[in-house]
Amino acid sequence: MSIKRVLRSSLKFSESPKTQVSSNINSINDGTLGSKEKSVKTRMNKAVNGAASPGEPLPTPVKKKARLMPPSLLLELNPVQGDTLKTSNEPNQISSDQPAELHRTNALLRTQCGSHLVAYSKEITESSPSKSRIPRAEITTVNLLEQACDHLIQIDSRFEYLIEKHPCRMFSAEGLADEIDPFQSLCSGIISQQVSGAAAASIKNKFVGLFQSAPVEEELKTPRRFPQPMEVAASDVYFLRQAGLSQRKAEYIKGLAEKFAAGELNAAMLIKASYEEVLEKLTAVRGLGKWSVEMFACFCLKRMDIFSTGDLGVQKGMAAWLGKDVRKIKAKGGGKWKYMSEQDMLEISAKFSPHRSLFMWYMWRVEDVDVNAIENS
């Protein structure tokens, strides 16, 4: 066997020996190798060019320190619990037809470092079940909405007309591919509390403007970025109030930013956690009540089995769906549960589980309740 073949089999170079030696010689010329490395590489050069003595032992390659992959490229696997997270800097690395889950987050979330996080990687979803150790999914982002609609129609055939009249983009493959920034969505929700849509948009625009350093001309060329949690957490309340926020809302947003900056809230947790965990974590933040978290879980995290009994629009839609005259009920008053009781809402909606998010969305459609402000936030 020739010396060249010995080098290839013993050292297992990914490049050809001559290419490797050429690279090493360039490093020596640049002065980037130490004396020990220079000696080893010189002996390699002799071996490749036939100048080494037959009995001379082959050199041992100098080991380089392993390079740590940046967090944005790490693939985290936990096959036991079915949690397979994929982080990627490139949106095209995310599969357009990936497994979907009825009780987990199906949205494409943006992390604080600017990468994208989904439950399953493109490599895993396109590989065979034996390689990925994950069974082939029956529910995917492509057929999730279709299966949910079929379920609603199976329970109540009247949904067929409603679904045809009002297609739901939110849970479609296109809607599930929308990039969601959890921090931005929650901030927008706080800003929108108890103000009109126009006022909320104006305050949000000013809030984003507080953190822009580029000249106005440059801002017009590219979309303005929403501030990162660390930037907001480092700001004082007085500074945040310059956007038109009330004292309390400025405190709420700063507190939320501190939770994200400290890592108590993050995209990975929002994907992997159960709804009960998400509800517990987020309602612990000042300014986020149960209704706010329900809307965030439905519209932003794209979870399929969320149902809000405290939403008056849902109550009104359900009452009308059951044939009640909602105008007469409204005239009588009745407080929080003026359209129907919470117990009745839970019993009726239970039949549509695990697709209650879609059921709730169509209850808004029954009475033409405007939820654009929630969807846009």
Side-chain angles (χ1 to χ4, degrees), residues 22 39 53 55 66 107 118 121 127 133 137 149 176 236 241 259-260 265 294 299 332:
S22 176
S39 174
S53 302
V118 291
S121 72
S127 64
R133 293 177 292 172
C149 289
L176 295 174
D236 57 38
R241 289 198 64 187
K259 294 279 188 181
F260 271 95
L265 297 176
E294 289 169 340
F299 287 97
K332 292 180 180 179

Side-chain angles (χ1 to χ4, degrees), residues 177-202:
D178 289 342
E179 180 185 290
I180 304 295
D181 182 335
F183 175 66
Q184 178 178 344
S185 297
L186 290 168
C187 279
S188 299
I190 292 175
I191 291 173
S192 301
Q193 291 174 4
Q194 299 178 331
V195 296
S196 67
S202 175

Side-chain angles (χ1 to χ4, degrees), residues 290-304:
K290 185 180 179 181
W291 180 86
S292 296
V293 177
E294 289 169 340
M295 297 302 105
F296 173 72
C298 178
F299 287 97
C300 299
L301 300 185
K302 312 291 175 69
R303 293 195 172 219
M304 283 301 299

